[in-house]
Amino acid sequence: MELVWSDFRLEYVILPSMHTSKTLDYKYGVMENETTETSTSGCGSLILEMGALSKMTGDPIYESVALRALRKLWSMQSSLKLFGTTLDVATGQWIEYSSGIGAGVDSFYEYLLKAHILFGKEDFWKMFHSAYVAAQKYFRHGAWYHEADMRTGRATYWQLTSLQAFWPGLQVLIGDVMAANSSHREFFHVWKRYGVLPERYLLDHQMIHPTEKYYPLRPELAESTFYLYQATKGHPLPLLSNWHEELPEAYVPTNWTFVKRQPRVSRISAMSLQVCPALNLKSGQHIESACHIPDARSDFRCLTDEDCGVDATTCRRRSCSMAGFCGLWLFSR
């Protein structure tokens, strides 16, 4: 079976992509008269699976061809470092110039970062970082993310789509927890309003899209909630306010969405009482762990690990993430 017919053709011949509706015959390849239109996600998110397949089989061809498609797509970015939503794999031209972080582009961002995490290649991080910065610059409006023209950066569609809900989880993975908390809070408010996250919600009209009143059980918001909980121990479900009042300060992370902050307590000397971690204290004692060393900056930003302190709850040394935030990260630079 021929593996590559064009720079983007991998998705047709290796496997049917989750992101397209193209028909593939495993013996003969693409069906005759099949469409050549695909999404940015469809041709830009194969590196994770194909790279893993190459590692498992020892055959580099899968990763090589997926990387070829990714690099071709990367070369098509606009001067603003933005990507369209759909393109023609035969001509290599964009079809839809409006773009965002939702349908058609979502897993392109997600898999760039996860490819860096899985394979450890710096090129994937550089590509992701460039794309992430551009998305933050042109798509973000407060805590929301609208869509914009890849050529001009001008807003096109003011809408929330359920696929966008992966974004807070992605932000947690790079250590941008404050931004993740902010965007997750807005998704949660919409979910709370309707009991589910609508497939498409019109931000400018504050209403569900009139022709898309359905819920396809997408997992993106649940995944982001899980990641955010792992980063902050911000409970994954809304808690009653009176529970918050009873929590010791050690339970209250700075980035927790729904917590009403307690007044800051006086720190005790490490010489007078060795307490580590803070949660070992008896109920009702509001003192700070002696092992705690605050970060150099109150906003938790950092340039190196030296700017980060020691966590009060676990007594573990905090580190500086790739996005420049102190925390207990699995992946730090």
Side-chain angles (χ1 to χ4, degrees), residues 121-141:
K121 293 185 179 180
E122 193 66 19
D123 285 351
F124 292 136
W125 167 251
K126 291 179 180 178
M127 294 168 75
F128 170 78
H129 184 266
S130 174
Y132 179 77
V133 170
Q136 291 292 88
K137 181 177 181 180
Y138 294 105
F139 302 148
R140 187 176 182 181
H141 183 78

Side-chain angles (χ1 to χ4, degrees), residues 297-324:
R297 293 178 51 172
S298 60
D299 61 359
F300 314 113
R301 295 304 298 265
C302 56
L303 295 176
T304 68
D305 289 345
E306 299 302 317
D307 296 329
C308 302
V310 175
D311 182 69
T313 302
T314 64
C315 290
R316 286 172 51 198
R317 180 77 189 187
R318 290 155 63 84
S319 59
C320 190
S321 74
M322 293 180 290

Side-chain angles (χ1 to χ4, degrees), residues 227-282:
Y227 280 141
L228 194 57
Y229 169 70
Q230 291 298 319
T232 67
K233 301 301 179 183
H235 195 282
L237 298 176
L239 299 179
L240 298 177
S241 60
N242 60 336
W243 292 1
H244 298 162
E245 303 299 330
E246 299 174 2
L247 292 174
E249 184 168 357
Y251 275 158
V252 185
T254 302
N255 292 313
W256 209 357
T257 305
F258 303 103
V259 170
K260 183 177 181 181
R261 294 284 301 191
Q262 300 278 359
R264 189 165 181 84
V265 297
S266 299
R267 183 179 304 170
I268 61 172
S269 167
M271 296 299 293
S272 63
L273 180 61
Q274 292 292 334
V275 180
C276 186
L279 298 184
N280 286 340
L281 299 175
K282 294 180 180 179

Side-chain angles (χ1 to χ4, degrees), residues 158-225:
W158 291 82
Q159 59 186 7
L160 171 153
T161 62
S162 60
L163 287 173
Q164 292 177 359
F166 86 99
W167 193 254
L170 189 73
Q171 292 177 311
V172 170
L173 287 179
I174 61 171
D176 200 352
V177 179
M178 286 189 288
N181 184 75
S182 177
S183 54
H184 181 273
R185 180 176 60 244
E186 301 305 324
F187 281 110
F188 174 77
H189 286 333
V190 176
W191 175 82
K192 187 176 180 181
R193 178 178 177 182
Y194 295 104
V196 297
L197 191 64
E199 182 69 356
R200 193 178 302 273
Y201 180 79
L202 302 178
L203 297 174
D204 46 354
H205 297 290
Q206 296 291 294
M207 60 176 286
I208 297 177
H209 193 285
T211 63
E212 298 193 40
K213 296 182 177 180
Y214 56 90
Y215 178 58
L217 299 174
R218 296 196 186 276
E220 283 78 9
L221 184 58
E223 181 181 13
S224 287
T225 302

Side-chain angles (χ1 to χ4, degrees), residues 9-24:
R9 193 64 67 160
L10 174 69
E11 69 172 296
Y12 294 146
V13 183
I14 295 297
L15 77 170
S17 171
M18 295 184 298
H19 310 285
T20 63
S21 58
K22 298 173 176 60
T23 303
L24 176 141

